Amino acid sequence: RRQWLFFLTLVAVLCLGVSSLVVTSFSPQVGSPEGGSLIQIQGGGFGVVASALSVTFNNSGDGIFLPPNTYLTPPCINITIVVPDTEISCLTTAGGGSDFVLSVGKGATVTKFAQYSFHYAAPNIATVVPTYFDTYGGTATMYGENFGSKVQRGELSMRQAQHNEIEVTIHSLNDTAVVFFYPSNVGHGFILSYTYYDQSSNDVMIN
């Protein structure tokens, strides 16, 4: 039945002409920092040729994928015509941040949808291993989700209850784990948190 609907819509588009380019909704509004989230976009005027379209998420309305703190990220890729003229889909790329405005472009025409925005899922810390830090310093691993994949965009904060900041260095990371170095004599009773682009995690207390 969906194939028959696709065919009828295609015939209507070819016979009646192309409507004005407009976006009326999209989903979901949140995606993984690893990318690969399928975005479904509804509207009109998309036509029947996917290669003629571009999809971007940005906060400046100038057709680039630009998170709030000017971190440049590629646009939504692998655009597919789901229903001729009225529905398309695409895949997000790896990145981070929030409050992205979706735009669809076709030739020189660009339409924006600002009723609600897209954001990457915020990091979430589940546990830290080991739970006791060596007096001489060492390596620890933080486990959870949505940590991203770019070390230069991750920031780990470790502070004592009285707000004294402890310097730590991220060694490596992926979407579910962050390996970091901590200095000697860090003591105990401190709070660990993580930020990727402008998305901050929950706080975790290390006793």
Side-chain angles (χ1 to χ4, degrees):
R1 181 171 180 173
R2 188 174 181 84
Q3 289 179 331
W4 181 243
L5 177 61
F6 186 97
F7 176 74
L8 289 178
T9 307
L10 177 59
V11 170
V13 170
L14 294 176
C15 293
L16 300 178
V18 178
S19 58
S20 299
L21 185 64
V22 62
V23 175
T24 57
S25 64
F26 75 90
S27 63
Q29 284 88 57
V30 60
S32 167
E34 287 289 275
S37 298
L38 181 67
I39 305 297
Q40 302 280 357
I41 304 168
Q42 292 77 36
F46 300 144
V48 297
V49 182
S51 60
L53 301 171
S54 63
V55 178
T56 58
F57 290 96
N58 60 87
N59 71 342
S60 58
D62 56 1
I64 58 175
F65 199 176
L66 194 62
N69 294 326
T70 66
Y71 298 131
L72 188 62
T73 308
C76 209
I77 60 174
N78 294 356
I79 300 172
T80 302
I81 302 292
V82 179
V83 178
D85 206 50
T86 62
E87 184 176 350
I88 59 177
S89 67
C90 62
L91 296 176
T92 61
T93 48
S98 60
D99 297 325
F100 297 106
V101 175
L102 180 143
S103 298
V104 174
K106 185 179 181 183
T109 303
V110 177
T111 184
K112 293 178 286 185
F113 181 80
Q115 293 185 30
Y116 46 80
S117 60
F118 173 85
H119 67 275
Y120 285 100
N124 180 67
I125 304 172
T127 186
V128 178
V129 177
T131 55
Y132 178 82
F133 285 9
D134 194 290
T135 304
Y136 299 101
T139 302
T141 303
M142 178 177 69
Y143 294 99
E145 59 183 352
N146 302 321
F147 294 145
S149 58
K150 301 176 182 179
V151 172
Q152 68 272 26
R153 299 306 187 198
E155 182 178 342
L156 193 59
S157 171
M158 193 164 74
R159 61 191 186 279
Q160 292 176 324
Q162 59 269 38
H163 307 295
N164 293 327
E165 195 77 21
I166 300 170
E167 184 175 352
V168 292
T169 304
I170 296 176
H171 174 261
S172 62
L173 63 84
N174 58 44
D175 200 51
T176 59
V178 177
V179 179
F180 62 95
F181 299 114
Y182 62 89
S184 59
N185 300 314
V186 296
H188 57 84
F190 52 84
I191 300 169
L192 191 69
S193 61
Y194 175 76
T195 301
Y196 192 68
Y197 284 83
D198 68 344
Q199 299 281 77
S200 297
S201 73
N202 53 310
D203 290 341
V204 173
M205 175 68 75
I206 305 296
N207 295 315

